Amino acid sequence: MSSMTKTKSSAGATVLPTWYEVLATHLLAKFPQTAEPTKQTISQCILDLGSALEQGDTCLKRTVEPSDDAWLSHPLFVSDEFALETPAPLVVMQDGQGCQYIYFYRHWQQEWQLAERLAALLNPETAPKAAQVDLSSENSLKDLQIQAIEMAAKSPFSLITGGPGTGKTYTLARIVKALQLAQPNLRVALAAPTGKAAQRMQSVLANEFENAKIKNLKVQDAQTIHRLLGLGGRSMPRYHRYEPLPFDLIIIDEGSMLDLALASLLFDAIAVGTRVIILGDADQLAAVDAGAVLADLGESVALKPYRIHLQESNRFKADEGIGLLANGVLRQDETSVLEALTGNEQVQYFDLDKSKKNQIFKQLWHGFAAYVACLESLKTATYPLQEASVKALFIAFDQFRVLCAQRFGDFGANAINQVLGEHLQHALNDQNVRSGGWYVGRPVMVTRNDYGLRLSNGDIGVCLADEAGRLWVYFPDRNAPIAATRLPPEQIETAFALTIHKSQGSEFSVVAMVLDANAEEMLTRELIYTAITRAKKCIQVWSDKMLLINAIHKKSNRVSGLKVNIAAQISVLY
């Protein structure tokens, strides 16, 4: 076994072994008596599992082959039946249908814990009492929304999914209203996986709560799940099963972004007797890290009584514009996709011709006209800016955004951000780029949680200069700006253009979706759909048509055993 050996790439650079190659070498070195064929089989299993994790899978799934299972009796493996009492580096789980799931212990434990805590919440002996629902004053609810409200009022766990404009937050506000009537001192927590998603959740739900005439609600401002749990510079979260979250109702938005590790920590911190509602769009991209929790919850047969999928969109008509394009992508309907691209107010198609790169960049720059106008108006403002001015700045910036499949390449986010930054400096007649790449008007995204500054991954800020020329970064949900010098360059990215992954949880009036042919291997149905549904009024599609058509036929299917674990845990209740 030579996993630890350094190799030379074709360019002569040293290539270090992957972490799972190192792991395989160290684990097998502890058992020198292992026969060589078995050693090679186990080593390959570890390498395959490590590679699968990097693709977002939580385990390997294989058909049971009894004649070839002797290596699974090796001390490095343990059956899931005994894994809690006798842990081992690798766990094997059977599903009773002729399939095996092979995990690293940590990921098996996370799936098991998530399923076990979910089952505990669903236990009828400890579940909260069903609330009575009076919808007689609600005249605009659709049948599925009524079903969702009635389900959530009587259930300890609810999963409400649907595309953009299907009324998820509208329905949620009516659920909260019904629960508050039944429990006047209802304590509510709102959370989402990223800072940007939490900001949007806060603004949208605040309006919906007001429209639903909900008063005196004991609700915390929306925050990231990390902040809700008290994750930060500590070895374990502040809240866990032995010190659970002090709420009667916990609402999680943008559930598609939930990875396995975070979902496991979240459910571990939810006390029995608490209601949980998860909202999301299962057709969007799965989380960046391993797991596809929302999709698994939505496909679990055992959880069917606890989920509703809202279908009718109030924002887009299904047979025209953005609705036609998004639905065509989901159905892999080439005719609908091509029809949507023929041109209308909501969908604009542009061929991505690399020979016209400068012309394309110039046209993309025009999308930020409202933002530039707002920056110009702030040149004579008094600093620090008042709240109304900050709000207007971000409204202007969110009028347009460029979304890319990848960071690198001719039309990747990095190249577009560089060029558009230069256009902005020229437009403002300010070529002064300070240390760290800062310049007036630079929009940035935070790429890492910073608990000291109370910034979350995904937060968007804008750099401005005060009367003395000092640079400050304003964020829409902060009372005061932060000095640009306090933001480490490695935790900040310019944000005229974002990768589609990083745009999740956001919405923009107009979106320019730029699909470079160099990113063809990355393009999937979920990626395209996620980009399209970030747009509220118009989607600009910059792509080769065949590249787009090929992408809608590629679906990302993550492998996990969560549905098997959920079925096993819930079966114990009945």
Side-chain angles (χ1 to χ4, degrees), residues 368 371 392-401 443 460 462 495-496:
F368 290 99
Y371 178 57
L393 175 65
F394 282 94
I395 289 175
F397 182 53
D398 283 346
Q399 292 302 302
F400 184 75
R401 198 75 89 249
I460 295 287
V462 170
F496 291 107

Side-chain angles (χ1 to χ4, degrees), residues 25 137 363:
T25 299
S137 62
Q363 191 163 346

Side-chain angles (χ1 to χ4, degrees), residues 228-276:
L228 174 70
L229 295 175
L231 284 164
R234 53 176 78 218
S235 58
M236 64 184 299
R238 176 184 175 186
Y239 294 105
H240 44 80
R241 73 172 64 193
Y242 303 112
E243 188 176 347
L245 291 161
F247 300 101
D248 305 302
L249 173 63
I250 296 174
I251 301 167
I252 305 298
D253 198 11
E254 296 293 346
S256 63
M257 301 168 69
L258 263 180
D259 61 70
L260 175 61
L262 187 58
S264 178
L265 288 174
L266 172 64
F267 275 83
D268 190 54
I270 298 174
V272 169
T274 302
R275 273 192 173 85
V276 180

Side-chain angles (χ1 to χ4, degrees), residues 196 203 367-372 374 378 387-401 460 462 476 507-510 536-537:
K196 184 62 177 177
S203 61
F368 290 99
Y371 178 57
V372 176
C374 187
L378 294 175
E387 182 181 346
S389 296
V390 175
K391 183 177 180 180
L393 175 65
F394 282 94
I395 289 175
F397 182 53
D398 283 346
Q399 292 302 302
F400 184 75
R401 198 75 89 249
I460 295 287
V462 170
E507 284 187 340
F508 313 103
S509 295
V510 180
K536 293 191 289 186
K537 295 181 179 178

